[in-house]
Amino acid sequence: MPSDSMHCLFDSRTIAARVSELGAAIDHAYSRAQAPLVAVCVLKGAFVFFADLIRQMQTPLELDFVRLASYGQQTTRQEKVHFSKDIEVSVQGKHVLIVEDIVDTGHTLAYLKQVFQARRPSSIAVCSLIHKTGRREIDLPVDFYGFALDKGFVVGYGLDCAEAYRQLDAIYELTEPASAPRG
Ligand code: IMP
């Protein structure tokens, strides 16, 4: 259940309409692709978006999942991040579409792109549900995105705050700073 400390930014109908548009835009982008497409869902936050997005696409694809974990406090952000679950399909010679929940500072995306690039794909593109611009530290292209936000901490539609709210069918902004740790 949504609580008093959040307000709805994008309801389920708005999200569905936008995801449908994104699916069509991605199909168009890959319509002349010669190589196979692998769509990679970044767990956990992108799982709801990913499930809806791939069902709005006609382009044949393989799908797989990756999960990131971070550790330590003393090293740089990039050194801290590692895969706690890697994909199982090969991406060599294939087009890779990384499906993220939110690109915020850009560090997570930079790490993902670096790891996948080393596996010699045909191309790498990024689709993020939320393109959060106000705290960007690494300027990487986000090829497709659902909604742009400057700042704020959002939950629902797969996005969490301390693992809560993922099952909400709309996207909410947390309005109490105490319950919004990262936005
Ligand atoms: P980045 O490395 O700073 O770009 O962080 C991206 C990750 O931070 C996302 O994949 C989310 O897991 C998390 N994150 C950033 N902002 C929010 C938010 O507003 N709500 C929920 N998670 C967020």
Side-chain angles (χ1 to χ4, degrees):
M1 285 280 287
S3 77
D4 291 344
S5 60
M6 57 177 70
H7 74 272
C8 185
L9 290 181
F10 308 108
D11 64 19
S12 57
R13 286 181 60 173
T14 303
I15 296 170
R18 186 70 191 117
V19 172
S20 174
E21 288 175 354
L22 275 177
I26 295 168
D27 278 342
H28 180 71
Y30 289 103
S31 60
R32 292 173 184 274
Q34 300 293 318
L37 174 64
V38 182
V40 178
C41 173
V42 184
L43 296 171
K44 297 180 190 175
F47 83 104
V48 177
F49 175 48
F50 186 78
D52 286 346
L53 180 69
I54 59 168
R55 288 179 295 166
Q56 294 299 321
M57 291 172 57
Q58 305 299 320
T59 309
L61 56 82
E62 291 177 271
L63 61 86
D64 212 334
F65 302 88
V66 69
R67 188 159 180 215
L68 298 166
S70 42
Y71 53 87
Q73 299 294 324
Q74 304 302 319
T75 55
T76 68
R77 174 85 186 256
Q78 242 186 35
E79 287 167 335
K80 285 195 297 181
V81 179
H82 69 111
F83 284 180
S84 63
K85 189 224 170 297
D86 200 347
I87 57 170
E88 289 153 29
V89 302
S90 166
V91 297
Q92 185 171 349
K94 301 174 185 173
H95 297 295
V96 174
L97 178 68
I98 297 172
V99 181
E100 265 271 36
D101 56 353
I102 298 183
V103 179
D104 185 10
T105 64
H107 285 278
T108 303
L109 183 55
Y111 175 78
L112 282 167
K113 287 189 88 166
Q114 177 196 307
V115 171
F116 285 127
Q117 199 65 60
R119 298 176 183 181
R120 289 180 287 148
S122 184
S123 70
I124 300 178
V126 177
C127 177
S128 185
L129 173 63
I130 306 278
H131 185 15
K132 216 199 261 187
T133 53
R135 304 196 323 151
R136 194 62 48 86
E137 293 173 10
I138 301 180
D139 195 18
L140 288 170
V142 178
D143 305 273
F144 308 94
Y145 62 89
F147 305 101
L149 291 178
D150 178 37
K151 57 183 180 170
F153 195 87
V154 289
V155 297
Y157 196 65
L159 309 170
D160 77 311
C161 178
E163 294 299 328
Y165 309 122
R166 290 194 198 275
Q167 84 268 34
L168 300 178
D169 67 356
I171 297 172
Y172 297 83
E173 180 174 15
L174 294 186
T175 51
E176 277 180 19
S179 56
R182 285 175 289 189

